[in-house]
Amino acid sequence: MSHFPPLHRFADLLAGSLTGKPFLYEEGGKLSLSFDISTVQSRMDPAQPDSLVLGYTRTMMGCLLFNPKPRRITMIGLGGGSLAKYCHRYLPDADISIIEISQEVIGFRNEFAIPADSARFHIHCGDGAEHITNSSAEIDILMVDGYDIDGQAKSLCTQRFYDDCFDALDAQGVMVVNMCGGDRQIGSYVSRIRHSFNDNTVVVQSEDCTNKIVFAMKGNGLRFSEKQLLAQARYLEKHHPISLQTTARMLTASLRNGYFLSRQKNHGYQISS
């Protein structure tokens, strides 16, 4: 989810948002999915349906810096399928499972050119938190981007959920979470993630500066040096059309300065700017 879309045909957008249901609209040649007129859940360039238009999605793909060849990817939240389509195209050896609670959102898959289900690509209609609790697969990369009209789903922010995410990951697994930049509860959510992941957590500003992206490692991924991460990014950019060096620099800056997350007495962790 990204904030403050440009408004086009305001009356049509307002009418759509009042239903409380997901709706589509076109702006500047791009197709967008929204729940209300103040946010964009997903955006696609029809000429390049596999490209990552929104900056936060490009930042989330920084998880490849820690695992460039994942075998199993699980995504909670489909939206317009930007991350799902990207991974389907550029990670052909990965088995990809997407859990989306809204059948109406899944119903837009053709409009967003989302691939059909196959041996390695599956969309399931269900509750993401329940799916993780009952998961028996060892996930390499877990992407959490589950939003509705009220914001991030509450079931995807609990201590139990983050504990279950840790348990569901492979020994060197990575969880990456998209968090709305304006959510005042971010500090509490990150505190829970840090607790579940034994402090192996780092938060960065998304590429478009609207959201915060949290990376949490089950293994020792955060022990990579800046030189190692940048070298990995340069190598990956030979195969991926996104600036992973940008994300690598943001990650190492957050790890190096040590001030992005600061513990506040009685208030968990406070996000610093």
Side-chain angles (χ1 to χ4, degrees), residues 137-175:
E138 292 187 331
I139 301 166
D140 295 307
I141 291 178
L142 173 58
M143 297 183 169
V144 182
D145 187 21
Y147 284 82
D148 57 24
I149 193 169
D150 296 318
Q152 190 170 12
K154 299 305 180 185
S155 63
L156 304 180
C157 306
T158 67
Q159 191 68 67
R160 168 66 186 277
F161 172 68
Y162 295 132
D163 288 346
D164 288 343
C165 289
F166 181 88
D167 291 339
L169 288 171
D170 178 74
Q172 297 298 319
V174 182
M175 178 179 74

PDB file of all heavy atoms in Angstrom, residues 137-175:
ATOM      1  N   ALA A 137       5.638 -26.062   5.435  1.00  0.00           N
ATOM      2  CA  ALA A 137       6.759 -25.823   4.525  1.00  0.00           C
ATOM      3  C   ALA A 137       7.788 -24.911   5.177  1.00  0.00           C
ATOM      4  O   ALA A 137       7.443 -24.038   5.982  1.00  0.00           O
ATOM      5  CB  ALA A 137       6.258 -25.188   3.232  1.00  0.00           C
ATOM      6  N   GLU A 138       9.040 -25.124   4.856  1.00  0.00           N
ATOM      7  CA  GLU A 138      10.098 -24.232   5.323  1.00  0.00           C
ATOM      8  C   GLU A 138      10.290 -23.148   4.266  1.00  0.00           C
ATOM      9  O   GLU A 138      10.800 -23.402   3.181  1.00  0.00           O
ATOM     10  CB  GLU A 138      11.391 -25.009   5.567  1.00  0.00           C
ATOM     11  CG  GLU A 138      11.287 -25.972   6.736  1.00  0.00           C
ATOM     12  CD  GLU A 138      12.623 -26.609   7.069  1.00  0.00           C
ATOM     13  OE1 GLU A 138      13.456 -26.765   6.145  1.00  0.00           O
ATOM     14  OE2 GLU A 138      12.837 -26.953   8.238  1.00  0.00           O
ATOM     15  N   ILE A 139       9.871 -21.937   4.605  1.00  0.00           N
ATOM     16  CA  ILE A 139       9.834 -20.833   3.656  1.00  0.00           C
ATOM     17  C   ILE A 139      11.191 -20.134   3.620  1.00  0.00           C
ATOM     18  O   ILE A 139      11.780 -19.858   4.662  1.00  0.00           O
ATOM     19  CB  ILE A 139       8.729 -19.842   4.058  1.00  0.00           C
ATOM     20  CG1 ILE A 139       7.369 -20.552   4.097  1.00  0.00           C
ATOM     21  CG2 ILE A 139       8.693 -18.653   3.118  1.00  0.00           C
ATOM     22  CD1 ILE A 139       6.283 -19.746   4.799  1.00  0.00           C
ATOM     23  N   ASP A 140      11.664 -19.828   2.423  1.00  0.00           N
ATOM     24  CA  ASP A 140      12.919 -19.089   2.282  1.00  0.00           C
ATOM     25  C   ASP A 140      12.706 -17.591   2.409  1.00  0.00           C
ATOM     26  O   ASP A 140      13.481 -16.896   3.069  1.00  0.00           O
ATOM     27  CB  ASP A 140      13.573 -19.402   0.929  1.00  0.00           C
ATOM     28  CG  ASP A 140      13.994 -20.848   0.817  1.00  0.00           C
ATOM     29  OD1 ASP A 140      14.711 -21.327   1.710  1.00  0.00           O
ATOM     30  OD2 ASP A 140      13.597 -21.510  -0.155  1.00  0.00           O
ATOM     31  N   ILE A 141      11.663 -17.081   1.730  1.00  0.00           N
ATOM     32  CA  ILE A 141      11.325 -15.656   1.800  1.00  0.00           C
ATOM     33  C   ILE A 141       9.838 -15.524   2.068  1.00  0.00           C
ATOM     34  O   ILE A 141       9.012 -16.106   1.358  1.00  0.00           O
ATOM     35  CB  ILE A 141      11.700 -14.917   0.501  1.00  0.00           C
ATOM     36  CG1 ILE A 141      13.221 -14.829   0.346  1.00  0.00           C
ATOM     37  CG2 ILE A 141      11.095 -13.517   0.486  1.00  0.00           C
ATOM     38  CD1 ILE A 141      13.684 -14.161  -0.940  1.00  0.00           C
ATOM     39  N   LEU A 142       9.498 -14.763   3.100  1.00  0.00           N
ATOM     40  CA  LEU A 142       8.115 -14.490   3.458  1.00  0.00           C
ATOM     41  C   LEU A 142       7.867 -12.989   3.311  1.00  0.00           C
ATOM     42  O   LEU A 142       8.518 -12.179   3.972  1.00  0.00           O
ATOM     43  CB  LEU A 142       7.844 -14.930   4.898  1.00  0.00           C
ATOM     44  CG  LEU A 142       6.478 -14.557   5.497  1.00  0.00           C
ATOM     45  CD1 LEU A 142       5.332 -15.132   4.672  1.00  0.00           C
ATOM     46  CD2 LEU A 142       6.395 -15.031   6.950  1.00  0.00           C
ATOM     47  N   MET A 143       6.936 -12.613   2.426  1.00  0.00           N
ATOM     48  CA  MET A 143       6.591 -11.218   2.193  1.00  0.00           C
ATOM     49  C   MET A 143       5.221 -10.937   2.794  1.00  0.00           C
ATOM     50  O   MET A 143       4.240 -11.607   2.447  1.00  0.00           O
ATOM     51  CB  MET A 143       6.576 -10.908   0.697  1.00  0.00           C
ATOM     52  CG  MET A 143       7.918 -11.075   0.025  1.00  0.00           C
ATOM     53  SD  MET A 143       7.826 -10.606  -1.725  1.00  0.00           S
ATOM     54  CE  MET A 143       9.562 -10.573  -2.141  1.00  0.00           C
ATOM     55  N   VAL A 144       5.160  -9.949   3.680  1.00  0.00           N
ATOM     56  CA  VAL A 144       3.907  -9.607   4.349  1.00  0.00           C
ATOM     57  C   VAL A 144       3.474  -8.217   3.890  1.00  0.00           C
ATOM     58  O   VAL A 144       4.130  -7.221   4.188  1.00  0.00           O
ATOM     59  CB  VAL A 144       4.061  -9.650   5.885  1.00  0.00           C
ATOM     60  CG1 VAL A 144       2.719  -9.346   6.553  1.00  0.00           C
ATOM     61  CG2 VAL A 144       4.589 -11.015   6.329  1.00  0.00           C
ATOM     62  N   ASP A 145       2.353  -8.181   3.161  1.00  0.00           N
ATOM     63  CA  ASP A 145       1.848  -6.917   2.618  1.00  0.00           C
ATOM     64  C   ASP A 145       0.327  -6.992   2.583  1.00  0.00           C
ATOM     65  O   ASP A 145      -0.297  -6.820   1.540  1.00  0.00           O
ATOM     66  CB  ASP A 145       2.428  -6.695   1.213  1.00  0.00           C
ATOM     67  CG  ASP A 145       2.097  -5.323   0.651  1.00  0.00           C
ATOM     68  OD1 ASP A 145       1.777  -4.404   1.431  1.00  0.00           O
ATOM     69  OD2 ASP A 145       2.155  -5.170  -0.591  1.00  0.00           O
ATOM     70  N   GLY A 146      -0.266  -7.291   3.740  1.00  0.00           N
ATOM     71  CA  GLY A 146      -1.701  -7.517   3.815  1.00  0.00           C
ATOM     72  C   GLY A 146      -2.463  -6.318   4.346  1.00  0.00           C
ATOM     73  O   GLY A 146      -2.410  -6.020   5.539  1.00  0.00           O
ATOM     74  N   TYR A 147      -3.199  -5.655   3.450  1.00  0.00           N
ATOM     75  CA  TYR A 147      -3.944  -4.451   3.810  1.00  0.00           C
ATOM     76  C   TYR A 147      -5.384  -4.554   3.336  1.00  0.00           C
ATOM     77  O   TYR A 147      -5.688  -5.235   2.348  1.00  0.00           O
ATOM     78  CB  TYR A 147      -3.312  -3.201   3.175  1.00  0.00           C
ATOM     79  CG  TYR A 147      -2.056  -2.746   3.876  1.00  0.00           C
ATOM     80  CD1 TYR A 147      -0.828  -3.343   3.606  1.00  0.00           C
ATOM     81  CD2 TYR A 147      -2.103  -1.725   4.820  1.00  0.00           C
ATOM     82  CE1 TYR A 147       0.323  -2.928   4.254  1.00  0.00           C
ATOM     83  CE2 TYR A 147      -0.950  -1.303   5.470  1.00  0.00           C
ATOM     84  CZ  TYR A 147       0.252  -1.909   5.184  1.00  0.00           C
ATOM     85  OH  TYR A 147       1.395  -1.504   5.837  1.00  0.00           O
ATOM     86  N   ASP A 148      -6.275  -3.857   4.044  1.00  0.00           N
ATOM     87  CA  ASP A 148      -7.646  -3.677   3.590  1.00  0.00           C
ATOM     88  C   ASP A 148      -8.014  -2.215   3.790  1.00  0.00           C
ATOM     89  O   ASP A 148      -7.129  -1.372   4.004  1.00  0.00           O
ATOM     90  CB  ASP A 148      -8.608  -4.623   4.324  1.00  0.00           C
ATOM     91  CG  ASP A 148      -8.561  -4.454   5.843  1.00  0.00           C
ATOM     92  OD1 ASP A 148      -8.176  -3.357   6.316  1.00  0.00           O
ATOM     93  OD2 ASP A 148      -8.918  -5.408   6.555  1.00  0.00           O
ATOM     94  N   ILE A 149      -9.280  -1.890   3.753  1.00  0.00           N
ATOM     95  CA  ILE A 149      -9.686  -0.488   3.844  1.00  0.00           C
ATOM     96  C   ILE A 149      -9.308   0.134   5.184  1.00  0.00           C
ATOM     97  O   ILE A 149      -9.146   1.347   5.306  1.00  0.00           O
ATOM     98  CB  ILE A 149     -11.216  -0.359   3.597  1.00  0.00           C
ATOM     99  CG1 ILE A 149     -11.591   1.119   3.372  1.00  0.00           C
ATOM    100  CG2 ILE A 149     -12.016  -0.977   4.734  1.00  0.00           C
ATOM    101  CD1 ILE A 149     -12.989   1.328   2.869  1.00  0.00           C
ATOM    102  N   ASP A 150      -9.128  -0.688   6.209  1.00  0.00           N
ATOM    103  CA  ASP A 150      -8.769  -0.181   7.535  1.00  0.00           C
ATOM    104  C   ASP A 150      -7.263  -0.149   7.769  1.00  0.00           C
ATOM    105  O   ASP A 150      -6.814   0.191   8.864  1.00  0.00           O
ATOM    106  CB  ASP A 150      -9.440  -1.036   8.619  1.00  0.00           C
ATOM    107  CG  ASP A 150     -10.951  -0.952   8.569  1.00  0.00           C
ATOM    108  OD1 ASP A 150     -11.470   0.170   8.385  1.00  0.00           O
ATOM    109  OD2 ASP A 150     -11.611  -1.999   8.688  1.00  0.00           O
ATOM    110  N   GLY A 151      -6.477  -0.506   6.766  1.00  0.00           N
ATOM    111  CA  GLY A 151      -5.028  -0.510   6.916  1.00  0.00           C
ATOM    112  C   GLY A 151      -4.492  -1.926   7.047  1.00  0.00           C
ATOM    113  O   GLY A 151      -5.100  -2.885   6.551  1.00  0.00           O
ATOM    114  N   GLN A 152      -3.356  -2.068   7.715  1.00  0.00           N
ATOM    115  CA  GLN A 152      -2.754  -3.374   7.884  1.00  0.00           C
ATOM    116  C   GLN A 152      -3.651  -4.263   8.736  1.00  0.00           C
ATOM    117  O   GLN A 152      -4.126  -3.853   9.797  1.00  0.00           O
ATOM    118  CB  GLN A 152      -1.372  -3.251   8.522  1.00  0.00           C
ATOM    119  CG  GLN A 152      -0.575  -4.545   8.518  1.00  0.00           C
ATOM    120  CD  GLN A 152       0.864  -4.317   8.934  1.00  0.00           C
ATOM    121  OE1 GLN A 152       1.212  -3.251   9.429  1.00  0.00           O
ATOM    122  NE2 GLN A 152       1.703  -5.317   8.738  1.00  0.00           N
ATOM    123  N   ALA A 153      -3.895  -5.473   8.264  1.00  0.00           N
ATOM    124  CA  ALA A 153      -4.768  -6.389   8.997  1.00  0.00           C
ATOM    125  C   ALA A 153      -4.214  -6.634  10.403  1.00  0.00           C
ATOM    126  O   ALA A 153      -3.033  -6.933  10.562  1.00  0.00           O
ATOM    127  CB  ALA A 153      -4.892  -7.702   8.234  1.00  0.00           C
ATOM    128  N   LYS A 154      -5.065  -6.531  11.415  1.00  0.00           N
ATOM    129  CA  LYS A 154      -4.616  -6.657  12.804  1.00  0.00           C
ATOM    130  C   LYS A 154      -4.014  -8.026  13.089  1.00  0.00           C
ATOM    131  O   LYS A 154      -3.091  -8.147  13.906  1.00  0.00           O
ATOM    132  CB  LYS A 154      -5.772  -6.372  13.757  1.00  0.00           C
ATOM    133  CG  LYS A 154      -6.352  -4.970  13.634  1.00  0.00           C
ATOM    134  CD  LYS A 154      -5.267  -3.902  13.795  1.00  0.00           C
ATOM    135  CE  LYS A 154      -5.853  -2.501  13.667  1.00  0.00           C
ATOM    136  NZ  LYS A 154      -4.784  -1.455  13.699  1.00  0.00           N
ATOM    137  N   SER A 155      -4.531  -9.050  12.439  1.00  0.00           N
ATOM    138  CA  SER A 155      -4.009 -10.400  12.688  1.00  0.00           C
ATOM    139  C   SER A 155      -2.582 -10.569  12.191  1.00  0.00           C
ATOM    140  O   SER A 155      -1.899 -11.525  12.567  1.00  0.00           O
ATOM    141  CB  SER A 155      -4.908 -11.443  12.015  1.00  0.00           C
ATOM    142  OG  SER A 155      -4.904 -11.281  10.601  1.00  0.00           O
ATOM    143  N   LEU A 156      -2.116  -9.627  11.351  1.00  0.00           N
ATOM    144  CA  LEU A 156      -0.759  -9.693  10.804  1.00  0.00           C
ATOM    145  C   LEU A 156       0.210  -8.806  11.581  1.00  0.00           C
ATOM    146  O   LEU A 156       1.321  -8.558  11.105  1.00  0.00           O
ATOM    147  CB  LEU A 156      -0.778  -9.268   9.332  1.00  0.00           C
ATOM    148  CG  LEU A 156      -1.717 -10.042   8.415  1.00  0.00           C
ATOM    149  CD1 LEU A 156      -1.622  -9.513   6.986  1.00  0.00           C
ATOM    150  CD2 LEU A 156      -1.423 -11.537   8.452  1.00  0.00           C
ATOM    151  N   CYS A 157      -0.202  -8.362  12.769  1.00  0.00           N
ATOM    152  CA  CYS A 157       0.647  -7.474  13.565  1.00  0.00           C
ATOM    153  C   CYS A 157       0.879  -7.997  14.980  1.00  0.00           C
ATOM    154  O   CYS A 157       1.494  -7.305  15.798  1.00  0.00           O
ATOM    155  CB  CYS A 157       0.014  -6.076  13.679  1.00  0.00           C
ATOM    156  SG  CYS A 157      -0.411  -5.307  12.115  1.00  0.00           S
ATOM    157  N   THR A 158       0.395  -9.190  15.294  1.00  0.00           N
ATOM    158  CA  THR A 158       0.455  -9.676  16.674  1.00  0.00           C
ATOM    159  C   THR A 158       1.788 -10.372  16.959  1.00  0.00           C
ATOM    160  O   THR A 158       2.495 -10.812  16.045  1.00  0.00           O
ATOM    161  CB  THR A 158      -0.676 -10.673  16.944  1.00  0.00           C
ATOM    162  OG1 THR A 158      -0.457 -11.868  16.169  1.00  0.00           O
ATOM    163  CG2 THR A 158      -2.034 -10.076  16.579  1.00  0.00           C
ATOM    164  N   GLN A 159       2.087 -10.501  18.256  1.00  0.00           N
ATOM    165  CA  GLN A 159       3.291 -11.240  18.642  1.00  0.00           C
ATOM    166  C   GLN A 159       3.194 -12.691  18.206  1.00  0.00           C
ATOM    167  O   GLN A 159       4.172 -13.267  17.729  1.00  0.00           O
ATOM    168  CB  GLN A 159       3.478 -11.173  20.162  1.00  0.00           C
ATOM    169  CG  GLN A 159       4.836 -11.695  20.624  1.00  0.00           C
ATOM    170  CD  GLN A 159       5.968 -10.776  20.176  1.00  0.00           C
ATOM    171  OE1 GLN A 159       6.062  -9.659  20.633  1.00  0.00           O
ATOM    172  NE2 GLN A 159       6.816 -11.256  19.276  1.00  0.00           N
ATOM    173  N   ARG A 160       2.007 -13.286  18.323  1.00  0.00           N
ATOM    174  CA  ARG A 160       1.808 -14.674  17.904  1.00  0.00           C
ATOM    175  C   ARG A 160       2.101 -14.835  16.412  1.00  0.00           C
ATOM    176  O   ARG A 160       2.755 -15.800  15.997  1.00  0.00           O
ATOM    177  CB  ARG A 160       0.373 -15.105  18.206  1.00  0.00           C
ATOM    178  CG  ARG A 160      -0.058 -16.431  17.565  1.00  0.00           C
ATOM    179  CD  ARG A 160       0.691 -17.625  18.118  1.00  0.00           C
ATOM    180  NE  ARG A 160       0.359 -18.849  17.400  1.00  0.00           N
ATOM    181  CZ  ARG A 160      -0.709 -19.609  17.649  1.00  0.00           C
ATOM    182  NH1 ARG A 160      -1.570 -19.252  18.600  1.00  0.00           N
ATOM    183  NH2 ARG A 160      -0.921 -20.704  16.957  1.00  0.00           N
ATOM    184  N   PHE A 161       1.626 -13.891  15.608  1.00  0.00           N
ATOM    185  CA  PHE A 161       1.863 -13.982  14.169  1.00  0.00           C
ATOM    186  C   PHE A 161       3.348 -13.943  13.853  1.00  0.00           C
ATOM    187  O   PHE A 161       3.857 -14.775  13.097  1.00  0.00           O
ATOM    188  CB  PHE A 161       1.138 -12.848  13.438  1.00  0.00           C
ATOM    189  CG  PHE A 161       1.480 -12.760  11.970  1.00  0.00           C
ATOM    190  CD1 PHE A 161       1.076 -13.743  11.088  1.00  0.00           C
ATOM    191  CD2 PHE A 161       2.234 -11.696  11.488  1.00  0.00           C
ATOM    192  CE1 PHE A 161       1.401 -13.675   9.734  1.00  0.00           C
ATOM    193  CE2 PHE A 161       2.559 -11.613  10.138  1.00  0.00           C
ATOM    194  CZ  PHE A 161       2.151 -12.603   9.257  1.00  0.00           C
ATOM    195  N   TYR A 162       4.076 -12.996  14.442  1.00  0.00           N
ATOM    196  CA  TYR A 162       5.502 -12.896  14.148  1.00  0.00           C
ATOM    197  C   TYR A 162       6.262 -14.109  14.674  1.00  0.00           C
ATOM    198  O   TYR A 162       7.222 -14.566  14.042  1.00  0.00           O
ATOM    199  CB  TYR A 162       6.063 -11.595  14.728  1.00  0.00           C
ATOM    200  CG  TYR A 162       5.487 -10.345  14.096  1.00  0.00           C
ATOM    201  CD1 TYR A 162       5.024  -9.286  14.882  1.00  0.00           C
ATOM    202  CD2 TYR A 162       5.398 -10.210  12.712  1.00  0.00           C
ATOM    203  CE1 TYR A 162       4.497  -8.141  14.315  1.00  0.00           C
ATOM    204  CE2 TYR A 162       4.870  -9.066  12.133  1.00  0.00           C
ATOM    205  CZ  TYR A 162       4.423  -8.040  12.936  1.00  0.00           C
ATOM    206  OH  TYR A 162       3.890  -6.903  12.365  1.00  0.00           O
ATOM    207  N   ASP A 163       5.843 -14.653  15.803  1.00  0.00           N
ATOM    208  CA  ASP A 163       6.447 -15.896  16.298  1.00  0.00           C
ATOM    209  C   ASP A 163       6.232 -17.028  15.293  1.00  0.00           C
ATOM    210  O   ASP A 163       7.148 -17.807  15.009  1.00  0.00           O
ATOM    211  CB  ASP A 163       5.839 -16.298  17.642  1.00  0.00           C
ATOM    212  CG  ASP A 163       6.284 -15.411  18.797  1.00  0.00           C
ATOM    213  OD1 ASP A 163       7.259 -14.640  18.628  1.00  0.00           O
ATOM    214  OD2 ASP A 163       5.659 -15.494  19.868  1.00  0.00           O
ATOM    215  N   ASP A 164       5.006 -17.113  14.772  1.00  0.00           N
ATOM    216  CA  ASP A 164       4.697 -18.159  13.790  1.00  0.00           C
ATOM    217  C   ASP A 164       5.491 -17.963  12.500  1.00  0.00           C
ATOM    218  O   ASP A 164       5.902 -18.944  11.857  1.00  0.00           O
ATOM    219  CB  ASP A 164       3.203 -18.168  13.485  1.00  0.00           C
ATOM    220  CG  ASP A 164       2.367 -18.717  14.629  1.00  0.00           C
ATOM    221  OD1 ASP A 164       2.944 -19.379  15.520  1.00  0.00           O
ATOM    222  OD2 ASP A 164       1.141 -18.476  14.643  1.00  0.00           O
ATOM    223  N   CYS A 165       5.704 -16.696  12.106  1.00  0.00           N
ATOM    224  CA  CYS A 165       6.516 -16.419  10.908  1.00  0.00           C
ATOM    225  C   CYS A 165       7.932 -16.935  11.112  1.00  0.00           C
ATOM    226  O   CYS A 165       8.515 -17.566  10.214  1.00  0.00           O
ATOM    227  CB  CYS A 165       6.537 -14.920  10.623  1.00  0.00           C
ATOM    228  SG  CYS A 165       4.972 -14.247  10.024  1.00  0.00           S
ATOM    229  N   PHE A 166       8.496 -16.676  12.269  1.00  0.00           N
ATOM    230  CA  PHE A 166       9.846 -17.165  12.581  1.00  0.00           C
ATOM    231  C   PHE A 166       9.887 -18.682  12.466  1.00  0.00           C
ATOM    232  O   PHE A 166      10.798 -19.244  11.843  1.00  0.00           O
ATOM    233  CB  PHE A 166      10.242 -16.725  13.993  1.00  0.00           C
ATOM    234  CG  PHE A 166      11.623 -17.155  14.399  1.00  0.00           C
ATOM    235  CD1 PHE A 166      12.727 -16.369  14.120  1.00  0.00           C
ATOM    236  CD2 PHE A 166      11.829 -18.360  15.061  1.00  0.00           C
ATOM    237  CE1 PHE A 166      14.010 -16.769  14.482  1.00  0.00           C
ATOM    238  CE2 PHE A 166      13.094 -18.775  15.429  1.00  0.00           C
ATOM    239  CZ  PHE A 166      14.192 -17.976  15.144  1.00  0.00           C
ATOM    240  N   ASP A 167       8.898 -19.347  13.023  1.00  0.00           N
ATOM    241  CA  ASP A 167       8.881 -20.809  12.999  1.00  0.00           C
ATOM    242  C   ASP A 167       8.705 -21.356  11.583  1.00  0.00           C
ATOM    243  O   ASP A 167       9.204 -22.440  11.266  1.00  0.00           O
ATOM    244  CB  ASP A 167       7.753 -21.339  13.882  1.00  0.00           C
ATOM    245  CG  ASP A 167       8.000 -21.095  15.370  1.00  0.00           C
ATOM    246  OD1 ASP A 167       9.177 -20.897  15.747  1.00  0.00           O
ATOM    247  OD2 ASP A 167       7.023 -21.092  16.135  1.00  0.00           O
ATOM    248  N   ALA A 168       7.986 -20.618  10.736  1.00  0.00           N
ATOM    249  CA  ALA A 168       7.695 -21.104   9.385  1.00  0.00           C
ATOM    250  C   ALA A 168       8.866 -20.967   8.425  1.00  0.00           C
ATOM    251  O   ALA A 168       8.892 -21.606   7.361  1.00  0.00           O
ATOM    252  CB  ALA A 168       6.490 -20.363   8.810  1.00  0.00           C
ATOM    253  N   LEU A 169       9.845 -20.138   8.794  1.00  0.00           N
ATOM    254  CA  LEU A 169      10.966 -19.888   7.891  1.00  0.00           C
ATOM    255  C   LEU A 169      12.005 -20.993   7.944  1.00  0.00           C
ATOM    256  O   LEU A 169      12.186 -21.670   8.956  1.00  0.00           O
ATOM    257  CB  LEU A 169      11.631 -18.551   8.250  1.00  0.00           C
ATOM    258  CG  LEU A 169      10.854 -17.279   7.903  1.00  0.00           C
ATOM    259  CD1 LEU A 169      11.550 -16.065   8.514  1.00  0.00           C
ATOM    260  CD2 LEU A 169      10.717 -17.103   6.402  1.00  0.00           C
ATOM    261  N   ASP A 170      12.718 -21.128   6.835  1.00  0.00           N
ATOM    262  CA  ASP A 170      13.905 -21.976   6.768  1.00  0.00           C
ATOM    263  C   ASP A 170      14.957 -21.421   7.739  1.00  0.00           C
ATOM    264  O   ASP A 170      14.861 -20.278   8.200  1.00  0.00           O
ATOM    265  CB  ASP A 170      14.439 -21.970   5.338  1.00  0.00           C
ATOM    266  CG  ASP A 170      15.695 -22.780   5.164  1.00  0.00           C
ATOM    267  OD1 ASP A 170      15.623 -24.014   5.158  1.00  0.00           O
ATOM    268  OD2 ASP A 170      16.773 -22.164   5.071  1.00  0.00           O
ATOM    269  N   ALA A 171      15.980 -22.208   8.027  1.00  0.00           N
ATOM    270  CA  ALA A 171      17.011 -21.810   9.002  1.00  0.00           C
ATOM    271  C   ALA A 171      17.661 -20.477   8.656  1.00  0.00           C
ATOM    272  O   ALA A 171      18.103 -19.751   9.551  1.00  0.00           O
ATOM    273  CB  ALA A 171      18.071 -22.899   9.117  1.00  0.00           C
ATOM    274  N   GLN A 172      17.746 -20.145   7.360  1.00  0.00           N
ATOM    275  CA  GLN A 172      18.308 -18.865   6.938  1.00  0.00           C
ATOM    276  C   GLN A 172      17.240 -17.979   6.288  1.00  0.00           C
ATOM    277  O   GLN A 172      17.548 -17.131   5.453  1.00  0.00           O
ATOM    278  CB  GLN A 172      19.463 -19.097   5.961  1.00  0.00           C
ATOM    279  CG  GLN A 172      20.641 -19.858   6.546  1.00  0.00           C
ATOM    280  CD  GLN A 172      21.295 -19.118   7.698  1.00  0.00           C
ATOM    281  OE1 GLN A 172      21.477 -17.909   7.654  1.00  0.00           O
ATOM    282  NE2 GLN A 172      21.660 -19.853   8.757  1.00  0.00           N
ATOM    283  N   GLY A 173      15.991 -18.188   6.683  1.00  0.00           N
ATOM    284  CA  GLY A 173      14.884 -17.490   6.042  1.00  0.00           C
ATOM    285  C   GLY A 173      14.826 -16.006   6.342  1.00  0.00           C
ATOM    286  O   GLY A 173      15.368 -15.516   7.339  1.00  0.00           O
ATOM    287  N   VAL A 174      14.121 -15.287   5.457  1.00  0.00           N
ATOM    288  CA  VAL A 174      13.984 -13.831   5.554  1.00  0.00           C
ATOM    289  C   VAL A 174      12.503 -13.470   5.519  1.00  0.00           C
ATOM    290  O   VAL A 174      11.767 -13.961   4.664  1.00  0.00           O
ATOM    291  CB  VAL A 174      14.695 -13.119   4.389  1.00  0.00           C
ATOM    292  CG1 VAL A 174      14.573 -11.601   4.535  1.00  0.00           C
ATOM    293  CG2 VAL A 174      16.142 -13.549   4.283  1.00  0.00           C
ATOM    294  N   MET A 175      12.074 -12.620   6.437  1.00  0.00           N
ATOM    295  CA  MET A 175      10.739 -12.029   6.374  1.00  0.00           C
ATOM    296  C   MET A 175      10.893 -10.554   6.036  1.00  0.00           C
ATOM    297  O   MET A 175      11.730  -9.857   6.613  1.00  0.00           O
ATOM    298  CB  MET A 175      10.007 -12.169   7.713  1.00  0.00           C
ATOM    299  CG  MET A 175       8.618 -11.514   7.696  1.00  0.00           C
ATOM    300  SD  MET A 175       7.686 -11.687   9.253  1.00  0.00           S
ATOM    301  CE  MET A 175       8.563 -10.504  10.303  1.00  0.00           C
TER     302      MET A 175
END
